[in-house]
Amino acid sequence: MNMIIKEIKEIYDKYEKSFEECVLHDNEYELFKVLVAPMRFGKTRLAITHNIPFLLEKTNVNCIVLTSPLGSILKQKERLLKNTINQLSGVEFCEDPIDAQDALEEGQKVVLVMTNMGAWVGSKSEQFFNKIDKSKVAFIIDEAHTW
């Protein structure tokens, strides 16, 4: 059993390293970057426990928009996400673009959680995205091909 856990940890470490290399050494902007792994791999868990802290601590990102096609997926991970955010200094969990804008204006960093559809077609989202410094925003989109 320990051998399997060790092998899984090695795979996760490689996945995390690939993400870090992509973020730190690929300086192209306005690019859609995709990291792929099999279903049930733990991509959402890694996005929450590794990618979000990494982006907020090691880059100039001050806002992460985390989306999923279904609100229920986000709800399942809400506790993990809040626990992760609570370990980061000056980072606020938001579910509403207006709250996120207020937090950013107060100098906080933000993780804004929304459905895929809500992020792209809501009037609050449109206002939010028109106001923020997009060079400091990272999007983590689960199932980007879906609404």
Side-chain angles (χ1 to χ4, degrees), residues 25 71 89:
H25 301 295
S89 178

Side-chain angles (χ1 to χ4, degrees), residues 92-129:
E92 204 168 308
F93 172 87
C94 295
E95 295 178 289
D96 183 281
I98 293 170
D99 292 340
Q101 181 64 41
D102 290 346
L104 288 168
E105 288 173 0
E106 293 168 2
Q108 296 291 315
K109 293 182 178 185
V110 171
V111 177
L112 175 60
V113 178
M114 308 172 76
T115 63
N116 290 353
M117 187 168 75
W120 307 118
V121 299
S123 62
K124 289 181 187 178
S125 297
E126 182 180 355
Q127 292 171 11
F128 174 71
F129 293 131

Side-chain angles (χ1 to χ4, degrees), residues 6-16 41 46:
K6 182 180 175 191
E7 289 176 13
I8 291 171
K9 172 99 172 83
E10 288 173 2
I11 293 168
Y12 271 40
D13 289 346
K14 286 180 185 177
Y15 191 84
E16 290 173 355
F41 177 79
L46 283 173

Side-chain angles (χ1 to χ4, degrees), residues 61-80:
V61 167
N62 69 359
C63 176
I64 295 176
V65 181
L66 175 65
T67 73
S68 179
L70 300 172
S72 60
I73 295 170
L74 298 170
K75 199 68 178 163
Q76 288 172 357
K77 299 295 184 187
E78 184 175 321
R79 183 172 179 274
L80 177 64

Side-chain angles (χ1 to χ4, degrees), residues 126-137:
E126 182 180 355
Q127 292 171 11
F128 174 71
F129 293 131
N130 285 334
K131 289 181 180 178
I132 61 173
D133 179 353
K134 292 169 198 65
S135 70
K136 294 183 178 184
V137 178

